[in-house]
Amino acid sequence: MRLLKTSEIQSTFRAKARVPKYILAMLAATVLVSCSGPAAPVAGHPQTRAVAASASEIAIDGSPRRLRLVTAEQLHNTLSYIFGPNISPPVAFAPVTRTDGLLSVGSSFAGVTASQLEIYQKTASTAAIEIVNERNRNFLVPCAPKADDAADDACASTFLASVGRLVYRRPLAQERLEEFVTAAGDAANRLRSFYDGLGIALEGMLLSPRVMMVSEKAEPDPNHPGRERLDAYSLASRLSFFLWNAAPDDLLLKAAASGELHTPKGLARTVDRMLASDRLQDGMRAFFDDMLQLDDFKNLAKDAQIYPQFTGLAVVDAREQTLRMVVDQLVVKDKDYRDIFTTRETFLSPSLAAIYRLPTTPGWVPYEFPADSPREGLLTQIAFLASHAHPGRSSPTLRGKALREILLCQIVPRPPANVDFSALENPDPNVKTQRDRVAVHLKNPVCAGCHKVMDPAGLALENFDGAGQYRVVEKGAPIDASGSIDGKNFADIHGLAQVLHDHPAAPQCLARRVFAYGTGSPASTMPQAELAALYKRFEAGGYRLRPLLRNIVLSDDFSSVHEDVPPTKTAAASVQ
Amino acid sequence: MKIRYSVLGAAALIGAVSVPAIAAESPVQNRSIGYVMTTEFKAIYDTPDGKKECPGGLNEGPREQFKVLYPESPGKKWPIVDTQLEREGDIWWPKAEDRIPYQYAVGDIAFGLNLDDKVGPNDFTSPDGEKGIDDQLQRAWACVPNYRSSSYNLGAFNNWRKYLYNIVVIELTDVDSLENDDDVTLTTYRGLDRVMTDATGSQYLAAGTQRLDTRWGKIFIAKFHGKIANGVLTTEGSDYVMPSAGNGRSIADIRYYKTRWQLKLGPERAEGLMAGYMDVDDWKIATNTQRSTHHQAYGAASTASIYRAMRHVADYKPDPNGGENHAISMALRIRMTQVFIKHDDKTVSQSAPTKAAATKLAAGR
């Protein structure tokens, strides 16, 4: 028996996937917002030609088989679920590149550096030490060794086989298990401690690329000759990391082992169990944290002199508030997805209440803004307002861009490299409001194409400063928050919220993001007909999240995979 | 109703522009506004070199006094019981006269308020020229380094209210305007929540929330009738007990008789004076339990001497057996930050002071 050597692990990790050229081509093709005109049509939008394909007409394309990194949160959740919440080593992995709007997709294109490997090793070591220490071993190791100061292969085998199945997300091969047991025994005899030896074997197990990475395996699909599907354990992992943001539990692995996952009824039964589990909240928190790009909060900083209310605690709580609201609305209360743009229900903490200027009580408490409050929905929460603003002032452009890209899945091109920002820093004392300031965008034809797409939506949020605090004037001048999006006019933030609520691209964007997140593939690679059918079912289900998730994971497209080659019908092709 | 709160005023200017209602975010809610005390220190009037108010020099502290009382000399051995313990006894059970001459402040300028609505021969004039200021603490303390504006200890007093036990909350009710209102009520409470600091770390955060201790803190609930003129709140006098715990541990509350408040009000801050007749014995217990002789020595503050001086010039609450008064007129300079107040409706006191507070306030010595 031997543990994996560092060089071997590095070699495995170096098997870094490259971004296929066709994906780049499609990403370019899905730059849907034209800078020479208003927002370009998106599938499902009235301006777009209808995609009338029914589910039965849709060819199964599936998604590419992926090798992707486990995120820090996924590892944390997995260890917590297996060993209990007390086993919580600090896990902080290097960030991955956001791809097609999602970090989850980016994790399929990430490599592992030597320093990242070092972090993995520390994490694995810390977790292993915690699990076998004197405080926890009696609860977490299901057997007692014959002697504390010597090897006990039987007990080590019992523990490592049980844990190995859960962290490897499939049964350990007997040969591999024996290697770990031998390693545990050798270390125990050298260190004269059964538990120290067990900990070393466990550390090696946790450090395995098979734990730190999700490597999907395919097999011929007997129901669709000529095609491939995920094998049962890979499907279990894809389901679990998608819905729970953690590795599969014991029941899910049993369903994989029994073949239940590859029967329609068995898969439906398993999916329904997963959708009913509290772990779904963790899974959807992770998804919305990714989709709403709340990871930006890790680097968010405001000028303390300008926004003294925006404390370090408020930064943390703002992210948490949005996640709590979204999960509460869509998972706990099972509401219409579009309601997150108009709901007055939220959660408050003391640090946020000070910014909202509201009374509260210690801890997190549910709160509903009164009908006459300017706060309504996701856009008026501090997380959106503050993260899409400058350190010392608001930004209609950044907010409008975020609204377009994050919530409507439209891509606004980057500004030209030689853009002249000096025009925005107009020293004219008569230029008081942001509306006055960004008006310069529209005077320059080069700028106007994109800014007339972004700025009107952002200007509707000008009643909130760069920290998300409510205001009615800027430098003494009244703020005009009226505007229009895609032909829909509104007078204020309430109008904008309603327009967004009713915008067909909003729920369609969610459907695209959820599918991409679940499969780890850019949504731009998805066949447009499948997206359209998925969206129709989402619409028919009242835009509720659980039915959307259920439809996705029960579809053949979710479990069907192919090598990294372009699908037969791509978004790129269908938007021509 | 004239709500002058700036945002409301600005809202009125907007006119045709669609403006969402802002009632939910105004600090004045249901005609009330709360503040939490963030800073308090005794308002002592002094000059940079002290020669004007302290022509005889400044008082010396415990270490210097010890050397005077128990001088070292060859062959002389002082037993502890006749030195350290004796002086410690003076601190807790002061003798009728101290053995160290005391420097009282002179002059007629002091901060404070006119607590008895009279202009008497011992009264001061405020730096703004107001006559009848009652502040005998100025005489007793202005020549003690610990209480002068150059004292390092003022910083400690600045932070006194950060201790959770010491959270003083006031609530103004019946407020129609923070600018002018001839009939408002100020109610004091002990708050239950730490005061948050802002992103700079140097200021206290407005718009926090304070829950009220209406169970064990009934003694701290007092009501004051007042009025607001040109943005300044002035109340009538009422007795008040202020929570006081040193370093967050030793609890020794202090009674202030006929207390009045004078605060410049704003939507986020309030500052000004809380003046009244402070119970000298309460102060002695609080001082001796909350700050050791060692710490007081840094500010040259000798409780044994200071207590005697305070009793000599005390001007309220005569001893029922004759002799010196038990309470001394004084003023606290205070700063407050706006907070929202969370009431427990079942236990809010409706009278001031409460029965519990009145019982303690009325207790004779």
Side-chain angles (χ1 to χ4, degrees):
Chain A
M1 145 81 198
R2 62 183 177 78
L3 293 178
L4 287 173
K5 293 176 182 173
T6 303
S7 59
E8 292 173 310
I9 297 167
Q10 283 179 318
S11 173
T12 306
F13 275 113
R14 280 191 202 111
K16 167 179 154 184
R18 289 178 301 171
V19 182
K21 288 180 180 175
Y22 78 90
I23 292 177
L24 296 176
M26 285 185 291
L27 284 174
T30 51
V31 177
L32 297 176
V33 176
S34 162
C35 283
S36 59
V42 292
H45 192 276
Q47 297 174 359
T48 308
R49 63 183 171 84
V51 179
S54 69
S56 61
E57 297 169 321
I58 297 168
I60 300 167
D61 287 305
S63 55
R65 196 159 51 83
R66 289 295 176 206
L67 174 68
R68 56 177 161 169
L69 294 173
V70 166
T71 67
E73 198 175 18
Q74 286 169 344
L75 181 63
H76 177 271
N77 288 346
T78 299
L79 293 175
S80 293
Y81 291 155
I82 297 174
F83 299 107
N86 287 341
I87 305 303
S88 183
V91 183
F93 294 166
V96 297
T97 304
R98 186 172 293 281
T99 303
D100 201 23
L102 292 170
L103 294 174
S104 163
V105 176
S107 69
S108 298
F109 306 114
V112 177
T113 63
S115 61
Q116 175 70 354
L117 189 59
E118 196 174 319
I119 294 172
Y120 285 164
Q121 187 157 16
K122 284 180 182 172
T123 303
S125 174
T126 306
I129 289 169
E130 276 285 301
I131 290 164
V132 300
N133 71 16
E134 289 185 10
R135 192 172 62 248
N136 296 318
R137 63 180 55 152
N138 290 339
F139 303 98
L140 300 179
V141 180
C143 51
K146 293 172 188 167
D148 280 0
D149 59 355
D152 182 338
D153 288 354
C155 184
S157 180
T158 301
F159 174 74
L160 293 170
S162 168
V163 171
R165 172 174 168 267
L166 292 170
V167 298
Y168 272 60
R169 307 180 288 277
R170 60 178 67 227
L172 276 183
Q174 186 60 32
E175 182 185 341
R176 190 81 181 121
L177 175 62
E178 287 172 4
E179 289 178 352
F180 280 120
V181 171
T182 302
D186 289 348
N189 290 329
R190 281 190 188 183
L191 299 170
R192 297 184 180 179
S193 166
F194 167 78
Y195 290 105
D196 287 349
L198 194 64
I200 285 174
L202 180 59
E203 177 185 336
M205 183 180 277
L206 294 175
L207 190 55
S208 166
R210 296 182 182 87
V211 173
M212 296 297 187
M213 302 181 85
V214 181
S215 174
E216 295 179 333
K217 297 182 188 311
E219 63 184 18
D221 184 348
N223 300 320
H224 301 93
R227 297 198 59 84
E228 286 198 319
R229 67 181 185 185
L230 291 171
D231 75 9
Y233 290 108
S234 294
L235 178 57
S237 287
R238 186 179 269 201
L239 282 169
S240 190
F241 282 118
F242 175 31
L243 298 178
W244 289 351
N245 203 37
D249 66 355
D250 177 62
L251 287 177
L252 188 50
L253 290 175
K254 282 178 178 169
S258 69
E260 189 179 352
L261 284 188
H262 276 149
T263 66
K265 282 187 180 176
L267 178 60
R269 189 162 48 245
T270 295
V271 166
D272 288 340
R273 179 180 76 85
M274 296 181 76
L275 292 175
S277 168
D278 285 346
R279 292 186 186 182
L280 183 66
Q281 294 188 31
D282 291 333
M284 291 304 101
R285 272 178 67 95
F287 165 69
F288 282 105
D289 195 57
D290 192 346
M291 175 185 165
L292 299 176
Q293 303 185 10
L294 297 179
D295 57 298
D296 287 350
F297 269 76
K298 289 177 184 169
N299 304 313
L300 186 64
K302 296 289 174 187
D303 187 322
Q305 298 297 330
I306 297 173
Y307 301 123
Q309 305 280 107
F310 202 74
T311 62
L313 198 53
V315 174
V316 175
D317 286 357
R319 180 182 189 176
E320 177 67 17
Q321 179 192 40
T322 290
L323 290 174
R324 279 178 183 252
M325 183 275 282
V326 170
V327 170
D328 181 60
Q329 292 288 307
L330 305 183
V331 180
V332 177
K333 294 177 177 167
D334 205 21
K335 290 190 173 180
D336 185 325
Y337 166 69
R338 301 169 305 166
D339 289 350
I340 68 168
F341 301 117
T342 54
T343 184
R344 294 187 177 278
E345 296 176 342
T346 187
F347 293 84
L348 281 183
S349 71
S351 66
L352 295 181
I355 297 178
Y356 287 121
R357 299 192 166 278
L358 289 169
T360 189
T361 51
W364 283 98
V365 292
Y367 179 79
E368 184 167 1
F369 289 107
D372 62 352
S373 168
R375 306 281 179 176
E376 178 180 349
L378 180 74
L379 295 181
T380 62
Q381 292 202 338
I382 291 168
F384 186 85
L385 296 165
S387 61
H388 304 295
H390 297 295
R393 58 182 165 86
S394 66
S395 172
T397 302
L398 290 179
R399 287 172 178 171
K401 183 173 186 285
L403 186 151
R404 291 284 188 188
E405 294 193 333
I406 296 175
L407 302 175
L408 300 179
C409 289
Q410 298 165 344
I411 299 174
V412 180
R414 297 176 65 81
N418 61 347
V419 64
D420 178 12
F421 289 105
S422 64
L424 277 173
E425 309 299 335
N426 193 336
D428 183 349
N430 294 318
V431 177
K432 293 181 176 177
T433 67
Q434 286 284 49
R435 183 177 290 272
D436 299 335
R437 206 167 291 115
V438 301
V440 71
H441 289 149
L442 304 182
K443 293 177 182 171
N444 185 338
V446 176
C447 305
C450 289
H451 279 280
K452 67 183 179 183
V453 171
M454 297 182 286
D455 294 357
L459 286 168
L461 296 167
E462 273 303 292
N463 277 129
F464 305 95
D465 66 17
Q469 300 175 109
Y470 182 69
R471 60 182 182 179
V472 291
V473 295
E474 183 179 6
K475 295 181 180 175
I479 291 171
D480 174 6
S482 64
S484 70
I485 289 183
D486 301 337
K488 302 286 185 183
N489 298 323
F490 47 83
D492 54 21
I493 178 57
H494 302 299
L496 173 64
Q498 194 60 49
V499 166
L500 197 54
H501 176 279
D502 298 338
H503 201 301
Q508 188 178 49
C509 178
L510 178 76
R512 286 167 56 93
R513 291 280 192 255
V514 172
F515 191 95
Y517 181 84
T519 60
S521 306
S524 50
T525 67
M526 290 177 60
Q528 195 72 358
E530 276 86 333
L531 272 178
L534 182 66
Y535 175 69
K536 281 183 178 296
R537 289 195 289 271
F538 186 33
E539 183 181 30
Y543 299 109
R544 288 181 299 125
L545 185 60
R546 270 196 183 82
L548 174 66
L549 296 171
R550 194 172 191 275
N551 284 329
I552 288 174
V553 297
L554 292 182
S555 71
D556 287 334
D557 279 306
F558 187 77
S559 56
S560 183
V561 291
H562 53 72
E563 290 303 316
D564 227 352
V565 293
T568 54
K569 290 178 289 181
T570 67
S574 59
V575 296
Q576 298 305 312
Chain B
M1 179 183 294
K2 301 176 191 171
I3 297 180
R4 187 175 173 266
Y5 179 45
S6 59
V7 176
L8 291 180
L13 292 172
I14 309 293
V17 176
S18 174
V19 179
I22 64 162
E25 299 189 357
S26 166
V28 180
Q29 295 195 352
N30 299 319
R31 299 179 67 214
S32 69
I33 184 170
Y35 298 94
V36 61
M37 190 180 292
T38 55
T39 301
E40 61 101 341
F41 52 90
K42 306 295 187 293
I44 299 298
Y45 178 83
D46 58 12
T47 56
D49 60 8
K51 290 180 178 175
K52 187 174 182 183
E53 67 275 14
C54 304
L58 302 180
N59 287 291
E60 292 186 319
R63 291 182 182 127
E64 294 78 12
Q65 289 185 338
F66 193 88
K67 289 179 181 174
V68 171
L69 292 171
Y70 314 107
E72 290 183 10
S73 61
K76 174 68 175 175
K77 287 188 177 180
W78 290 101
I80 289 178
V81 69
D82 294 335
T83 53
Q84 286 102 319
L85 292 182
E86 181 188 61
R87 195 55 180 163
E88 192 71 11
D90 286 347
I91 290 171
W92 286 96
W93 294 278
K95 296 180 176 62
E97 290 296 334
D98 194 20
R99 290 174 287 169
I100 303 289
Y102 196 81
Q103 301 297 329
Y104 292 89
V106 299
D108 60 357
I109 300 177
F111 297 107
L113 299 176
N114 187 341
L115 299 174
D116 56 7
D117 295 321
K118 298 174 185 172
V119 178
N122 293 324
D123 287 356
F124 291 85
T125 299
S126 78
D128 296 334
E130 183 183 350
K131 304 286 186 185
I133 299 298
D134 294 302
D135 187 2
Q136 291 305 310
L137 197 66
Q138 169 74 18
R139 298 210 187 285
W141 278 19
C143 299
V144 177
N146 196 53
Y147 305 116
R148 294 175 60 81
S149 54
S150 57
S151 168
Y152 94 98
N153 262 340
L154 286 180
F157 292 124
N158 259 346
N159 293 321
W160 207 244
R161 295 293 147 198
K162 74 182 180 185
Y163 297 124
L164 198 52
Y165 181 83
N166 294 340
I167 303 296
V168 172
V169 172
I170 66 169
E171 182 180 37
L172 299 182
T173 51
D174 308 319
V175 178
D176 293 323
S177 162
L178 286 182
E179 188 66 11
N180 289 293
D181 191 327
D182 60 4
D183 184 12
V184 299
T185 301
L186 182 156
T187 308
T188 58
Y189 300 94
R190 187 178 86 84
L192 292 174
D193 296 292
R194 288 195 186 282
V195 184
M196 294 184 288
T197 50
D198 69 12
T200 68
S202 61
Q203 293 287 327
Y204 290 96
L205 197 61
T209 299
Q210 283 288 331
R211 293 167 300 152
L212 304 176
D213 177 10
T214 51
R215 184 181 186 190
W216 305 110
K218 286 186 173 67
I219 194 171
F220 306 117
I221 301 174
K223 286 187 182 294
F224 303 78
H225 180 254
K227 62 182 179 181
I228 302 171
N230 298 321
V232 177
L233 166 76
T234 306
T235 74
E236 297 172 355
S238 186
D239 294 345
Y240 171 55
V241 181
M242 179 179 276
S244 174
N247 297 322
R249 292 189 295 272
S250 306
I251 293 174
D253 305 324
I254 299 177
R255 288 169 290 186
Y256 293 90
Y257 306 102
K258 301 183 74 170
T259 306
R260 298 182 182 210
W261 303 74
Q262 185 180 76
L263 298 171
K264 173 68 178 171
L265 303 176
E268 293 196 343
R269 315 274 171 212
E271 66 177 310
L273 300 174
M274 188 201 90
Y277 297 97
M278 179 173 70
D279 191 290
V280 178
D281 287 284
D282 284 357
W283 171 85
K284 180 191 74 177
I285 293 169
T287 300
N288 289 341
T289 56
Q290 293 167 359
R291 291 186 76 77
S292 65
T293 301
H294 157 77
H295 282 102
Q296 292 183 56
Y298 288 134
S302 170
T303 310
S305 299
I306 296 170
Y307 173 82
R308 283 266 40 97
M310 291 168 71
R311 288 294 301 274
H312 276 315
V313 296
D315 49 347
Y316 186 71
K317 200 170 177 57
D319 191 304
N321 299 319
E324 297 170 328
N325 291 309
H326 281 281
I328 185 169
S329 56
M330 51 76 67
L332 289 173
R333 186 185 301 282
I334 60 175
R335 295 194 191 100
M336 312 190 92
T337 295
Q338 180 265 328
V339 288
F340 294 109
I341 294 176
K342 202 81 174 174
H343 280 277
D344 176 359
D345 293 337
K346 294 178 183 174
T347 52
V348 168
S349 171
Q350 295 299 318
S351 60
T354 63
K355 186 176 179 182
T359 302
K360 179 169 182 181
L361 288 162
R365 290 184 179 276

